[in-house]
Amino acid sequence: MTNPFLVFGAPAIGEAEIAEVEACLRSGWLGTGPRVARLEQAFAAWQGLYSEQVAAVNSCTAALHLALLAAKLPPGSEVITTPLTFCATVNAIIHAGLTPVLADIDPVTQNIDPAAIAAAITPKTRAILPVHFAGRACDMNAIMALAKAHDLVVIEDCAHAVETSWRGKKAGTFGDFGCFSFYATKNMTTGEGGMIIGQDKAMIARAKVLALHGMSKDAWYRFGDKGYQHYQVVEAGFKYNMMDLQAAIGIHQLAKIEQHWQRREAIWQRYMQAFVDLPVDLPAPPAANSRHAYHLFAIGVDVRQAGISRDDFLAAMNQQKVGVGVHYLSLAGHPYYQARFGWQPEQYPHAMRAGQRTVSLPLSPGLSDGDVERVIQAVGASLSGNKVRY
Ligand SMILES: Cc1ncc(COP(=O)(O)O)c(C=O)c1O
């Protein structure tokens, strides 16, 4: 039998998720309702927060947008973020009427470099938006110290970082807001979905109103078992709410978060062992006293070192039916941002270098041991002449 294509980032969906979705479909209530409330409560408990400090939304992009709006920053304020992130991070800043400013990464951790943040601060800076890249915690002590010194809001992009902690404290709970993604490839999924968490209950309450058209009461409240209730529009909001159908998946994904993390850690360790002699860059070990969420396992491939270019390596992996990803090309390399902000990749050399070399390998908890060995063999075969270690 020929091997099927190994889809990059395929989620691990079990019978519990399927049964809950079926129950939701049969319940007659698909929209925002009791299952979203259950997921919010469970997520708040996971984070050690009150349920009034979390709001489920339909993506991390929405969470970032709402956090930036709820923070009420003056229009045009500068928000410092990393060039090594998904475009949604910067697009959310733009859509909130603010100005993104990039600060280069640390070449070892690949997270935003606090020294580069310090150098990028101007009188217009109002916020820092660090991304816990690949699930590795940013240096939150240094970032929070800068925020305190310059009176800046901190919004943590935790799209990769549900399990991440730094010095015993969970990612997303350092800053004013933490924004999580439950997209299909993420550590827990609802298909599409996200969560915004915050220190200030009033700001989360406002984010919830903004997430549903600016209405004072949500649909479950209006049509639920308490009888019809009137609502008022108190702001011009958005359509960012999560559905019960999505939460039905998320409730069971969250229940398995530790189990899935352990499986990803085992795969990570297997890759580290197998690739130790290869002419590629391997991820830096997690920082002491921190927890890595093991969201992305990325190697660095450079033609001078590996004998194959990164893009040829991607093609070779695909030819062997192993799905791979690139996280990410430096945001400063994209034409829209170049035209609008005058960014050039050379201004952020560490992010440029990372973006030119990086390849993410499959790390889903759903991978069998056989799948993992297939990935290892494909990496070895793609780097022709270089042997993986067994
Ligand atoms: C770092 C980062 N931020 C934000 C997002 C946006 O997440 P979502 O797709 O849930 O909107 C992603 C998604 O890939 C991401 O990787």
Side-chain angles (χ1 to χ4, degrees):
M1 201 183 78
T2 56
N3 282 323
F5 190 83
L6 211 58
V7 175
F8 178 85
I13 300 293
E15 290 306 316
E17 286 89 328
I18 293 167
E20 192 76 41
V21 167
E22 187 182 340
C24 179
L25 287 169
R26 291 186 192 285
S27 75
W29 190 268
L30 273 53
T32 309
R35 285 185 170 83
V36 168
R38 258 171 76 193
L39 179 61
E40 286 176 338
Q41 274 156 20
F43 199 79
W46 164 262
Q47 294 292 348
L49 298 172
Y50 296 105
S51 46
E52 296 89 345
Q53 290 179 283
V54 312
V57 287
N58 60 12
S59 69
C60 181
T61 309
L64 289 165
H65 189 196
L66 293 177
L68 287 156
L69 293 175
K72 288 199 168 159
L73 307 176
S77 298
E78 293 176 0
V79 180
I80 299 175
T81 194
T82 168
L84 197 69
T85 184
F86 187 52
C87 56
T89 311
V90 154
N91 289 347
I93 297 171
I94 296 170
H95 291 311
L98 306 167
T99 305
V101 171
L102 300 181
D104 205 359
I105 56 166
D106 175 300
V108 175
T109 66
Q110 302 203 326
N111 273 325
I112 193 166
D113 180 353
I117 298 176
I121 292 174
T122 75
K124 283 185 167 175
T125 308
R126 289 288 175 278
I128 308 173
L129 205 170
V131 177
H132 300 289
F133 180 74
R136 186 191 170 103
C138 292
D139 180 344
M140 290 313 293
N141 292 57
I143 291 173
M144 294 312 293
L146 281 170
K148 199 165 172 216
H150 297 272
D151 195 19
L152 306 176
V153 167
V154 174
I155 297 168
E156 299 174 63
D157 183 332
C158 301
H160 303 174
V162 179
E163 305 93 334
T164 303
S165 67
W166 172 257
R167 311 245 161 110
K169 194 168 151 67
K170 294 209 177 211
T173 64
F174 287 86
D176 300 83
F177 297 98
C179 300
F180 295 81
S181 174
F182 304 148
Y183 176 63
T185 59
K186 295 297 195 280
N187 290 359
M188 63 169 276
T189 186
T190 57
E192 296 281 2
M195 192 74 76
I196 172 169
I197 69 173
Q199 299 304 315
D200 184 326
K201 290 180 187 171
M203 281 197 187
I204 292 295
R206 175 151 184 259
K208 275 194 168 188
V209 169
L210 281 171
L212 196 67
H213 306 292
M215 287 159 52
S216 58
K217 293 181 175 64
D218 68 25
W220 177 246
Y221 196 89
R222 285 179 284 127
F223 300 115
D225 51 13
K226 293 191 183 66
Y228 188 82
Q229 307 276 327
H230 288 292
Y231 64 87
Q232 290 186 311
V233 176
V234 292
E235 290 205 58
F238 302 88
K239 178 66 175 162
Y240 283 167
N241 56 306
M242 180 186 279
M243 299 169 71
D244 267 18
L245 204 52
Q246 295 165 299
I249 307 171
I251 288 163
H252 297 281
Q253 288 276 296
L254 183 57
K256 286 185 278 195
I257 195 103
E258 281 297 326
Q259 184 192 326
H260 285 169
W261 179 88
Q262 281 169 17
R263 177 64 186 151
R264 288 197 311 279
E265 190 194 31
I267 298 170
W268 180 288
Q269 301 302 352
R270 175 73 189 107
Y271 285 160
M272 289 300 277
Q273 177 213 7
F275 302 149
V276 70
D277 292 331
L278 293 184
V280 296
D281 300 336
L282 294 179
N289 200 4
S290 72
R291 191 178 200 211
H292 199 301
Y294 299 124
H295 176 57
L296 296 172
F297 185 95
I299 58 173
V301 179
D302 181 89
V303 68
R304 283 156 296 190
Q305 194 186 338
I308 183 170
S309 74
R310 192 273 305 277
D311 288 357
D312 286 346
F313 179 86
L314 296 173
M317 292 294 285
N318 273 300
Q319 226 163 27
Q320 294 171 86
K321 299 193 186 167
V322 175
V324 281
V326 172
H327 302 90
Y328 301 89
L329 301 180
S330 169
L331 286 186
H334 291 286
Y336 177 79
Y337 306 126
Q338 292 186 340
R340 180 151 174 187
F341 303 113
W343 295 344
Q344 289 303 324
E346 294 75 16
Q347 292 172 271
Y348 316 98
H350 298 309
M352 179 176 74
R353 184 174 183 276
Q356 287 165 343
R357 302 160 71 99
T358 192
V359 179
S360 302
L361 302 178
L363 188 62
S364 162
L367 295 174
S368 68
D369 288 348
D371 294 335
V372 172
E373 297 312 308
R374 262 183 71 196
V375 175
I376 290 169
Q377 277 178 15
V379 168
S382 302
L383 300 167
S384 48
N386 296 298
K387 291 277 166 281
V388 291
R389 184 181 278 193
Y390 287 99

